């Protein structure tokens, strides 16, 4: 009677049973070259950085022009006027230096956020992608930080991942319009 009752129950598989080891890797250098979202973010990032550099350089140049102009008429200025100018000039230089540091910190933070966003998008995509692929490990490869001592290029899934990420990004851009 015990066997008849057990026959209707689902058989539970042992979760500790050995599974075939399946490994793939994503070449991050190639992904960065081909992933549209990453390219757009890096282009935006570079433009903002260039604009900030240009604005700061213009401000420094304006300050230098002031210094030169005062230098040309210094002989006609009183000692008190020269001291006032020097103090004001130092204050302006210090303000620009503070502004430059704040800008650099802001740009660096923005860069970190962008990289975190890219990493999250890749991980989110790989979660869904791997449901049908069944990899045990998906490693990353980067020429700057090469931790793989050997890589079999037949295990590269970079192009599939880039294609999927670009499709997802194109779809998200289309829904925002």
């Amino acid at each position: 009677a015990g066997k008849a009752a057990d026959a209707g129950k689902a058989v539970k598989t042992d979760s500790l049973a050995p599974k075939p080891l399946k490994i793939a890797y994503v070449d991050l250098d190639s992904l960065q070259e081909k992933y549209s979202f990453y390219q757009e973010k890096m282009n935006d990032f570079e433009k903002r950085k260039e604009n900030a550099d240009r604005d700061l350089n213009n401000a420094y140049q304006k300050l230098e022009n002031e210094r030169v102009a005062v230098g040309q008429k210094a002989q006609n200025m009183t000692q008190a006027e020269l001291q006032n100018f020097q103090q004001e000039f130092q204050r302006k230089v210090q303000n620009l230096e503070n502004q430059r540091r704040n800008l650099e910190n802001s740009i660096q933070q923005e860069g970190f956020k962008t990289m975190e966003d890219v990493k999250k998008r890749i991980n989110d995509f790989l979660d869904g992608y791997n449901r049908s692929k069944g990899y045990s490990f998906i490693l990353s490869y980067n020429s700057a930080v090469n931790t793989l001592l050997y890589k079999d290029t037949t295990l590269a899934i970079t192009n599939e991942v880039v294609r999927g990420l670009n499709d997802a990004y194109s779809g998200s851009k289309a829904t925002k319009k």
Side-chain angles (χ1 to χ4, degrees), residues 88-100:
E88 185 65 17
F89 183 80
Q90 287 301 331
R91 187 187 63 74
K92 288 178 181 180
V93 167
Q94 188 61 46
N95 284 343
L96 276 177
E97 285 298 313
N98 290 340
Q99 187 179 352
R100 182 186 55 77

Side-chain angles (χ1 to χ4, degrees), residues 18-160:
K19 296 188 281 189
L21 187 61
K22 194 173 172 188
I23 298 174
Y25 74 92
V26 175
D27 184 327
L28 296 179
D29 297 326
S30 295
L31 186 133
Q32 289 173 353
E33 284 177 24
K34 299 174 184 175
Y35 183 23
S36 299
F37 174 78
Y38 179 84
Q39 291 289 312
E40 286 180 24
K41 288 294 181 181
M42 288 300 108
N43 286 339
D44 289 347
F45 186 71
E46 284 302 314
K47 284 178 188 171
R48 275 198 287 280
K49 194 174 171 195
E50 287 171 9
N51 288 340
D53 285 344
R54 187 178 51 249
D55 291 347
L56 279 173
N57 286 338
N58 288 341
Y60 277 111
Q61 187 59 53
K62 184 177 175 184
L63 205 52
E64 179 61 17
N65 291 345
E66 275 183 49
R67 189 188 65 74
V68 168
V70 166
Q72 290 172 349
K73 58 182 181 178
Q75 59 197 4
N76 298 329
M77 295 174 74
T78 67
Q79 187 65 29
E81 289 172 324
L82 281 172
Q83 283 180 328
N84 284 343
F85 171 76
Q86 287 176 337
Q87 288 174 349
E88 185 65 17
F89 183 80
Q90 287 301 331
R91 187 187 63 74
K92 288 178 181 180
V93 167
Q94 188 61 46
N95 284 343
L96 276 177
E97 285 298 313
N98 290 340
Q99 187 179 352
R100 182 186 55 77
R101 272 193 297 280
N102 290 340
L103 218 68
E104 286 174 354
N105 288 339
S106 174
I107 288 171
Q108 187 178 32
Q109 289 300 316
E110 189 178 327
F112 288 142
K113 279 184 186 175
T114 298
M115 293 313 295
E116 286 298 315
D117 192 14
V118 168
K119 195 166 118 180
K120 182 181 180 334
R121 286 169 181 260
I122 292 170
N123 288 338
D124 289 349
F125 173 79
L126 288 175
D127 280 345
Y129 173 86
N130 199 44
R131 285 190 194 112
S132 64
K133 300 296 182 178
Y135 289 108
S136 304
F137 295 97
I138 299 176
L139 308 172
S140 64
Y141 169 81
N142 179 301
S143 61
V145 184
N146 184 1
T147 55
L148 296 178
L149 299 176
Y150 171 78
K151 66 182 192 307
D152 178 348
T153 56
T154 62
L155 300 175
I157 58 170
T158 308
N159 290 335
E160 291 176 60

